[in-house]
Amino acid sequence: MNLFFKKLTGQLHSTEKMERHIMAEEDRIARYRQVEKSAELKEFLDLKKIVESREFQQKKHNWIHTKYKSTPTYNVLREYNSLLHNKDLQLFLDVEDSDRLKEFLEFRQSENYVKLHSKKELRNSLELQQMAKFEKSKEYKAYLNFRSSKLPARFKTLQEEVSKDEFKQQHAFWSNPHRWKVTDEYQQEVRLKQLSVMPDIIFYLKQNPNEIEHLEQWKTVFADEFDWVKLSESKWRAGFAYDNPKLLKIHSFANEKAANNGGKNVGTIDGKLHLFTKEEKTTAPAWDTKKGFVNKEFDYTTDVIQTSEKFRQQGGLFMAKIRTEGRIHHAVWLGTGKKLPMISLFHFNGKQITVGNYDEKGFKGTVLRGITPLMYYIYSLRWTDKELIWYVNNVEVYRTYNNIPKEKLFLAISSFIDEKQRAMEGQINVAWIRVFENK
């Protein structure tokens, strides 16, 4: 597959962009779950439910648009003030329980009352004069007018009502043209608006929960950022892994020009794995297809490491950030203690990059053109029960439905020099490897 035009047109994302995307997705999931548990989000969701309710909106509408003059409070106060300013009624209320009225009413029931109509009696009696004067007074006329009326009782009822704290509060509320802003509901609405512009809340609401759940289905089961110093302290071991215990783990091949060096050519620098192929003479065991293991002199050393003891996985997602130097073989692959099955996550044969898997007849895969092994790319493998899919950064490069392994495979990293190649130094660098399983 030629990736040149995909890279040229931006369809193939840069490795830096791809890494930022991976980190951003991890951060997005972590942030989403953190916000999901926050008190602010709970408060926001609770308030949102309240504020958007029909009951709340009806209250708000009524409090904003109801005119004060149409409220019961206004009508009560208006009636009260009308009675309060009724002079005759107030005269009645003033005299109703007065001693003067009681005295006059008692006088009316006495025999002396008839003397009020005698001018002679009036001239000779100061008491009669006072009684006659009261009978003609406005107070007494008011008493006569209202003694059978319901207004005095109504006034007293209203007077008692308007003097209550509850009524005063209602009056203060409904007479305030800005009454909405003094309500608890207004404060709830204000708080909701404050929460709605919080970055975490905005972020959370923009997320698709189904997408988050889909991303969370991938669980990290293996990760190496190559921050270790000694190979013995890592998840890797030098040499090959075989099911047959009689086979040497650390050996080379008679048809190759570099000897595997038992992990001595492996190290970490600045958080990256370096597996070196060096020009140095050594004598090491080599497998000869006709003679078996023989000692052979080599002019170069290299290495192979694998995770057979620490990690094996069937299915999932395998990702590695890889680059190489030197026109020799460099590979990151998945294997078992047997010849097959075997999957190539990445293989540079000195001329071209390939990805694919193997069967009895050999390698089945594709050549990747348009990218250089000298630059870091993220090579990925999606392994399901039905298919194997390879990616370079964000672009699918190969897919097969054949020879799907039915067992767990380990990770391996190696370099070698084919007997037909011009020998030279080189190295494979792996910045990180991650393996995920679908929960």
Side-chain angles (χ1 to χ4, degrees):
M1 181 176 187
N2 196 330
L3 296 171
F4 175 77
F5 289 103
K6 290 187 179 293
K7 183 170 64 174
L8 187 66
T9 58
Q11 296 178 65
L12 175 65
H13 294 169
S14 70
T15 302
E16 292 76 11
K17 183 176 181 179
M18 186 67 181
E19 281 194 299
R20 287 196 300 270
H21 174 73
I22 293 171
M23 292 178 64
E25 291 294 85
E26 293 174 350
D27 291 343
R28 181 160 73 107
I29 294 171
R31 185 181 181 187
Y32 182 88
R33 293 307 180 194
Q34 183 179 10
V35 176
E36 188 177 47
K37 298 175 183 178
S38 68
E40 288 79 9
L41 179 65
K42 183 181 185 306
E43 183 184 6
F44 171 82
L45 294 176
D46 290 344
L47 283 175
K48 188 172 186 291
K49 184 177 180 180
I50 292 171
V51 170
E52 292 181 354
S53 69
R54 184 176 182 180
E55 180 184 1
F56 183 97
Q57 292 300 320
Q58 186 64 49
K59 281 183 180 180
K60 178 181 177 180
H61 182 273
N62 289 342
W63 288 337
I64 291 176
H65 298 287
T66 297
K67 294 181 179 180
Y68 176 50
K69 290 184 177 181
S70 65
T71 64
T73 303
Y74 173 83
N75 291 330
V76 167
L77 194 60
R78 181 185 180 189
E79 184 182 2
Y80 170 75
N81 286 328
S82 174
L83 296 178
L84 180 64
H85 292 90
N86 185 324
K87 294 181 179 180
D88 290 336
L89 174 61
Q90 295 306 315
L91 282 174
F92 169 82
L93 294 172
D94 288 341
V95 77
E96 180 184 22
D97 296 321
S98 67
D99 292 338
R100 290 181 64 196
L101 178 62
K102 290 179 182 179
E103 183 180 358
F104 179 76
L105 293 178
E106 290 176 1
F107 172 75
R108 283 200 60 177
Q109 300 300 321
S110 68
E111 295 178 355
N112 289 333
Y113 179 69
V114 296
K115 296 179 180 180
L116 284 182
H117 304 289
S118 169
K119 294 181 180 180
K120 181 180 178 182
E121 294 290 339
L122 280 173
R123 282 196 302 268
N124 298 324
S125 175
L126 181 61
E127 179 184 2
L128 290 177
Q129 292 174 12
Q130 290 175 344
M131 293 300 177
K133 183 179 180 182
F134 181 76
E135 188 176 37
K136 295 178 181 179
S137 69
K138 293 181 179 180
E139 289 86 347
Y140 185 63
K141 289 180 180 178
Y143 168 75
L144 294 176
N145 290 335
F146 289 99
R147 61 182 175 178
S148 299
S149 173
K150 295 180 180 180
L151 289 181
R154 176 60 179 164
F155 175 79
K156 291 177 182 179
T157 299
L158 293 173
Q159 188 176 45
E160 182 180 357
E161 182 174 353
V162 300
S163 65
K164 293 179 180 178
D165 290 339
E166 182 181 355
F167 181 88
K168 292 177 182 179
Q169 292 170 1
Q170 288 292 315
H171 168 65
F173 174 76
W174 287 110
S175 62
N176 182 0
H178 306 292
R179 66 180 81 101
W180 166 241
K181 292 186 177 182
V182 301
T183 64
D184 292 338
E185 284 77 2
Y186 173 77
Q187 295 304 320
Q188 288 179 317
E189 188 177 68
V190 169
R191 179 57 178 162
L192 179 63
K193 290 179 180 179
Q194 291 172 343
L195 290 168
S196 68
V197 296
M198 289 179 62
D200 280 346
I201 303 296
I202 293 173
F203 160 81
Y204 183 88
L205 296 177
K206 286 183 178 180
Q207 305 309 307
N208 183 336
N210 294 330
E211 187 176 315
I212 296 293
E213 290 181 8
H214 174 73
L215 291 172
E216 285 185 320
Q217 290 178 356
W218 293 101
K219 176 185 176 183
T220 303
V221 292
F222 179 92
D224 200 340
E225 304 292 334
F226 301 107
D227 51 1
W228 43 267
V229 177
K230 296 180 180 180
L231 186 63
S232 60
E233 299 171 348
S234 74
K235 302 169 185 177
W236 306 83
R237 294 295 177 263
F240 296 100
Y242 295 116
D243 289 348
N244 186 346
K246 295 181 180 180
L247 296 176
L248 294 175
K249 291 186 176 182
I250 299 175
H251 70 85
S252 304
F253 294 92
N255 62 349
E256 295 178 2
K257 296 181 178 181
N260 287 321
N261 208 14
K264 296 177 183 178
N265 287 28
V266 177
T268 57
I269 303 173
D270 298 328
K272 297 178 178 62
L273 176 75
H274 293 254
L275 191 155
F276 297 97
T277 299
K278 302 177 182 179
E279 185 176 3
E280 58 181 353
K281 293 183 180 294
T282 188
T283 301
W287 175 256
D288 188 296
T289 56
K290 295 180 180 180
K291 300 178 182 179
F293 285 111
V294 298
N295 285 329
K296 178 182 176 180
E297 292 184 357
F298 292 91
D299 293 327
Y300 286 81
T301 60
T302 188
D303 246 315
V304 56
I305 58 173
Q306 40 71 27
T307 65
S308 63
E309 295 179 8
K310 297 290 184 177
F311 175 75
R312 297 182 186 227
Q313 170 83 3
Q314 179 182 354
L317 177 63
F318 298 74
M319 304 178 73
K321 181 181 176 182
I322 306 166
R323 69 174 292 276
T324 68
E325 294 179 11
R327 300 183 68 81
I328 58 176
H329 288 270
H330 303 289
V332 177
W333 46 281
L334 284 68
T336 66
K338 304 180 291 293
K339 183 177 180 179
L340 294 173
M342 181 178 178
I343 301 174
S344 174
L345 180 66
F346 164 89
H347 183 199
F348 177 63
N349 63 11
K351 294 181 180 180
Q352 55 194 15
I353 301 171
T354 62
V355 297
N357 61 343
Y358 292 80
D359 62 14
E360 293 80 1
K361 296 181 180 180
F363 177 73
K364 299 293 189 298
T366 187
V367 176
L368 302 182
R369 299 180 176 87
I371 60 174
T372 172
L374 294 172
M375 294 179 61
Y376 275 111
Y377 285 94
I378 298 170
Y379 298 86
S380 304
L381 169 69
R382 176 85 178 274
W383 172 3
T384 72
D385 294 338
K386 299 179 180 179
E387 61 187 353
L388 298 172
I389 311 169
W390 284 260
Y391 301 85
V392 174
N393 288 358
N394 63 305
V395 174
E396 180 183 329
V397 294
Y398 183 63
R399 180 186 296 242
T400 183
Y401 304 94
N402 301 318
N403 301 309
I404 311 301
K406 304 300 181 183
E407 58 188 294
K408 293 181 179 181
L409 304 185
F410 57 75
L411 292 163
I413 304 171
S414 61
S415 295
F416 65 95
I417 304 174
D418 187 87
E419 62 181 351
K420 297 179 180 180
Q421 286 182 318
R422 182 170 68 87
M424 66 176 64
E425 294 189 330
Q427 62 177 300
I428 179 171
N429 306 135
V430 184
W432 50 260
I433 292 182
R434 297 171 190 164
V435 183
F436 306 85
E437 70 174 4
N438 202 316
K439 295 180 182 179

